[in-house]
Amino acid sequence: IWFRRLPELYGGTALAHRLCAATAAAMVATLAYTHLGASAAMYRLHTRRVVTPRANLWLLDDAGTVRVGALYADIVERLRALPADTTVLAAPEGCGLAFVAGLPCWGRDLSYYPPALDADAEARLVDALAAAPPGLVLVLNVIDLSHYGVQGFGRDYAMNALDWLEHHYALTWVAPGGTAFIAAPRPAPDSSE
């Protein structure tokens, strides 16, 4: 359209073809320059680098009021210290952090976001947890879920799931501000007592 139809609308002359080509080049250059300027400001916020066998990436350090770059980098390092076969339940998000750390995610058939975790889905989640508990639980209440009308996983939805987790898992780490936590299975009670 730009190089055939538009020049034809302007008479099909060589001058019309050159003007359309020059205009296209100017438009592309302007878009590239504008994109570079807008992107540069955002790229400056990517200040945390994470390098693992699965990834080499820069993390965005500031998402509103949460310093997610430092938080995510810390979580990846904590997860990397675990055995490679440790399955991670990451809710409502965070499976990518487990992947970067080299660990498998638990519960691939379930979603932990409010629209997908209604009462029936939460009951299936609790049943699945009881049938095959994950090796570790990572809860990340970092993202803003207010557009779903909730505050976070286990805060005002998925309460039954969190109750089950609290009875079977113990906290091993809590992020400053409580935006994230990691929990490991509680030791089995000593049957000799």
Side-chain angles (χ1 to χ4, degrees):
I1 292 174
W2 195 278
F3 293 103
R4 288 187 198 156
R5 302 286 296 213
L6 194 57
E8 288 173 11
L9 289 173
Y10 289 106
T13 65
L15 178 60
H17 282 278
R18 284 194 298 272
L19 286 174
C20 287
T23 304
M27 184 180 75
V28 169
T30 301
L31 287 173
Y33 178 78
T34 303
H35 176 74
L36 180 63
S39 298
M42 183 180 213
Y43 287 129
R44 281 192 294 276
L45 297 176
H46 289 75
T47 59
R48 302 294 178 165
R49 187 172 183 194
V50 173
V51 178
T52 71
R54 286 189 171 176
N56 182 351
L57 51 100
W58 286 91
L59 298 173
L60 178 66
D61 194 41
D62 187 15
T65 60
V66 181
R67 306 295 293 194
V68 294
L71 176 65
Y72 288 177
D74 186 21
I75 290 170
V76 167
E77 287 308 308
R78 289 174 186 281
L79 296 178
R80 287 188 69 199
L82 300 169
D85 62 346
T86 304
T87 56
V88 178
L89 164 62
E93 62 164 356
C95 197
L97 299 175
F99 174 82
V100 168
L103 301 178
C105 286
W106 179 92
R108 291 185 174 98
D109 59 336
L110 295 162
S111 172
Y112 313 112
Y113 282 98
L117 200 59
D118 61 12
D120 292 337
E122 186 176 8
R124 285 195 330 270
L125 171 59
V126 172
D127 289 345
L129 288 167
L136 192 79
V137 174
L138 167 63
V139 173
L140 280 172
N141 280 318
V142 174
I143 60 172
D144 180 11
L145 296 176
S146 62
H147 54 283
Y148 293 123
V150 298
Q151 294 176 7
F153 184 92
R155 289 184 175 168
D156 58 354
Y157 83 97
M159 301 302 289
N160 293 332
L162 186 67
D163 184 58
W164 189 95
L165 292 169
E166 286 176 342
H167 283 87
H168 295 87
Y169 288 77
L171 292 175
T172 59
W173 174 79
V174 178
T179 56
F181 67 82
I182 295 175
R186 291 185 186 277
D190 188 3
S191 60
S192 64
E193 294 178 15

